[in-house]
Amino acid sequence: MLDLKLVREKAEEVEKALARRNGGFSVKELLEVDAEFRKAQGEWERLRQRANEISELFKTGKVPKEQVEALRLETKDLKRQTEESERLKEELEERLTALRMSIPNVPEPSVPDGADETANVEVSRWGDIPGIENPRHHFELGADLNVFDFARGVKLAESRFTVLMEMGAKIERALMNFMLDFHTEKGYREVFPPILVNRQCMIGTGQLPKFEGDFYKCADDDLYLVPTAEVPVTSLYRDEVLEEEALPVYHCAYTPNFRREAGSAGKDTRGYIRQHQFNKVELVKFCLPERSKEEHESLTRQAELVLEALELPYRRVLLCAGDLGFSAQKCYDLEVWFPAQDKYREISSCSNFGDFQARRANLRYRPAGGGKPRYLHTLNGSGLAIGRTLAAILENNQQPDGSVKLPKVLWPYLKGITELTPAR
């Protein structure tokens, strides 16, 4: 959430920055409720202080007789007023918290203006586009190669759940292990968190309360299936104070992920691109505020290196203000080439959240030179979305005879299998 002190002091600047998101967000109501809450809190504290003063007078036993009855009546009235004042204070505090939770992060100044993805800015490209004549879609290739079984996925669950068969399952697992090995060799500490998280975890990273309908929730418990490993990993240090000397902290984690994909009806209904359940390896960083811009660049580069190791052509795109995620202040998307679609598709989002998530999850560090704990900065990125990576490998490495060559970095994980060949 936003720093309320900053909003009070620079309301106009914050308002203008939020207007760049084209979401109609206003801080006016926030400031009005904040003023009401602080007034109510001051009144509540004044009443309590007066009640304490009277209590202390009675304790001394030196209250003049002519004042005893008046003070008792005042105490009774103070109790009533304090209870009413406390109810008002709590109601206003709830409203204030709800408003703060509903306002997104402020875009960084370097983020370009724009209403949607059409205004995103390409930063760089890597790799050669393969010259494939009449390229086939990954789901067509995968069916012939016995990689995907979409029909049985529907039978077991519903649409957008897929069964990976034989080499499909092996390649998915190989990609997971390759990515985890790749990142841990670069200094990321591996975590394997629970795939069920409590509500506070979802609030901390910004999924809740705004996007309540987008996730799968257990019917009998206040627990959610993780939409991304960002949620449990970011919450590892919730309500803790890390020492400055321990920063930065880098983690990588594999989890299956679950999303209802609300609002995506009709998009990517065929294939393995947009699933309700999918696998992903996530990168999460905790760092000092003055280091987060640099850490964002290196995190994005880390995800790019995975694509380069897999020899998949991609581009880096800087998201405009109107396309930013709720919690991000700046985000790069990495988009991999899909020959059959003749376009790049997002395979990783690498975001710098500043102290936005840290304020929601109470993530702080203690400065080495002493002083009060401060909010740290959090960052995360997909390193990578495994299902989309598998789909991209199939499309970019397809051969005229229907076979698919596999990236060399995966050969050791597949016990020397170097290509997929359709059954004759």
Side-chain angles (χ1 to χ4, degrees):
M1 66 180 73
L2 297 181
D3 179 357
L4 196 49
K5 184 173 182 290
L6 175 69
V7 176
R8 291 179 195 132
E9 294 175 352
K10 299 184 178 181
E12 188 175 344
E13 291 180 31
V14 173
E15 188 87 43
K16 287 181 180 178
L18 287 172
R20 298 177 63 209
R21 282 182 168 270
N22 303 304
F25 304 105
S26 173
V27 299
K28 181 181 178 182
E29 184 181 2
L30 175 68
L31 291 175
E32 289 174 351
V33 175
D34 175 49
E36 289 180 41
F37 167 70
R38 285 189 291 160
K39 181 180 178 181
Q41 187 175 40
E43 176 63 10
W44 176 75
E45 289 173 352
R46 184 191 68 79
L47 292 168
R48 280 172 54 88
Q49 182 179 356
R50 177 56 182 160
N52 289 335
E53 288 173 356
I54 295 173
S55 176
E56 289 299 318
L57 276 175
F58 277 111
K59 284 180 183 178
T60 63
K62 297 180 180 179
V63 180
K65 289 183 180 181
E66 63 272 17
Q67 294 183 17
V68 169
E69 186 60 27
L71 288 173
R72 283 177 177 166
L73 289 172
E74 185 180 354
T75 299
K76 185 177 180 180
D77 191 47
L78 281 170
K79 182 180 179 182
R80 178 188 59 78
Q81 290 184 63
T82 302
E83 289 173 351
E84 292 176 357
S85 179
E86 187 167 19
R87 278 195 295 272
L88 176 61
K89 178 178 71 73
E90 289 175 352
E91 288 173 6
L92 289 168
E93 188 171 24
E94 286 181 11
R95 282 183 61 195
L96 182 62
T97 299
L99 285 169
R100 294 185 71 189
M101 290 289 182
S102 70
I103 297 176
N105 204 350
V106 172
E108 189 185 279
S110 64
V111 171
D113 289 331
D116 53 37
E117 62 183 13
T118 59
N120 293 342
V121 177
E122 182 178 306
V123 176
S124 60
R125 292 191 182 194
W126 183 91
D128 298 322
I129 302 298
I132 303 171
E133 188 174 348
N134 299 318
R136 301 176 68 200
H137 287 279
H138 68 277
F139 49 84
E140 298 170 323
L141 293 160
D144 290 349
L145 296 166
N146 197 30
V147 168
F148 305 121
D149 193 327
F150 297 109
R152 286 190 170 92
V154 174
K155 181 169 71 172
L156 296 178
E158 61 179 15
S159 63
R160 299 194 184 183
F161 287 88
T162 300
V163 176
L164 293 170
M165 302 295 291
E166 300 179 15
M167 285 306 299
K170 292 182 185 296
I171 296 171
E172 186 102 354
R173 178 159 49 89
L175 284 166
M176 176 187 73
N177 286 326
F178 160 66
M179 291 176 191
L180 288 172
D181 288 347
F182 188 89
H183 296 310
T184 52
E185 288 168 5
K186 298 291 186 179
Y188 287 79
R189 293 155 50 196
E190 186 176 346
V191 178
F192 190 30
I195 62 170
L196 285 170
V197 294
N198 58 41
R199 185 175 183 83
Q200 192 56 48
C201 291
M202 298 283 279
I203 290 173
T205 46
Q207 277 75 20
L208 295 180
K210 188 172 179 61
F211 306 104
E212 184 82 46
D214 291 352
F215 312 110
Y216 289 96
K217 183 180 180 182
C218 296
D220 298 326
D221 305 282
D222 199 19
L223 295 173
Y224 295 78
L225 287 167
V226 297
T228 166
E230 168 199 350
V231 175
V233 178
T234 302
S235 291
L236 282 175
Y237 306 108
R238 190 178 75 228
D239 297 325
E240 294 185 27
V241 179
L242 303 181
E243 297 299 328
E244 182 177 338
E245 293 83 354
L247 298 175
V249 174
Y250 300 167
H251 283 306
C252 63
Y254 156 76
T255 59
N257 305 279
F258 304 87
R259 298 182 191 174
R260 292 186 179 277
E261 292 291 349
S264 65
K267 297 180 182 177
D268 300 312
T269 53
R270 296 190 68 185
Y272 202 46
I273 297 293
R274 195 182 296 274
Q275 299 281 289
H276 290 306
Q277 177 183 333
F278 59 97
N279 296 309
K280 185 156 60 79
V281 170
E282 194 78 2
L283 306 174
V284 178
K285 287 185 173 184
F286 306 84
C287 71
L288 295 172
E290 56 268 26
R291 293 272 301 172
S292 66
K293 290 183 181 180
E294 180 181 341
E295 294 287 1
H296 186 207
E297 296 297 325
S298 66
L299 180 142
T300 307
R301 182 62 188 143
Q302 179 70 12
E304 288 178 335
L305 290 172
V306 179
L307 289 165
E308 292 175 16
L310 293 167
E311 301 179 77
L312 292 171
Y314 71 90
R315 67 176 185 170
R316 182 194 289 207
V317 175
L318 175 60
L319 269 57
C320 70
D323 200 30
L324 275 179
F326 179 81
S327 298
Q329 64 179 26
K330 184 175 182 178
C331 179
Y332 292 114
D333 270 4
L334 301 183
E335 299 179 347
V336 68
W337 179 254
F338 276 87
Q341 298 184 38
D342 193 33
K343 65 180 181 181
Y344 291 96
R345 296 296 305 270
E346 183 255 317
I347 197 168
S348 173
S349 289
C350 300
S351 300
N352 184 356
F353 303 108
D355 63 5
F356 189 83
Q357 290 182 332
R359 290 180 180 279
R360 296 170 75 101
N362 195 26
L363 294 162
R364 297 176 297 163
Y365 73 96
R366 182 174 289 104
K372 294 173 62 176
R374 303 172 186 170
Y375 289 108
L376 46 73
H377 280 197
T378 61
L379 308 93
N380 87 275
S382 307
L384 303 164
I386 297 173
R388 292 193 178 194
T389 304
L390 171 55
I393 288 171
L394 292 176
E395 289 201 18
N396 282 279
N397 296 311
Q398 60 183 291
Q399 305 300 307
D401 64 357
S403 64
V404 171
K405 294 187 180 299
L406 297 172
K408 290 181 180 179
V409 292
L410 296 184
W411 294 358
Y413 296 91
L414 296 169
K415 298 182 178 179
I417 297 173
T418 62
E419 66 177 357
L420 302 179
T421 306
R424 301 300 180 189

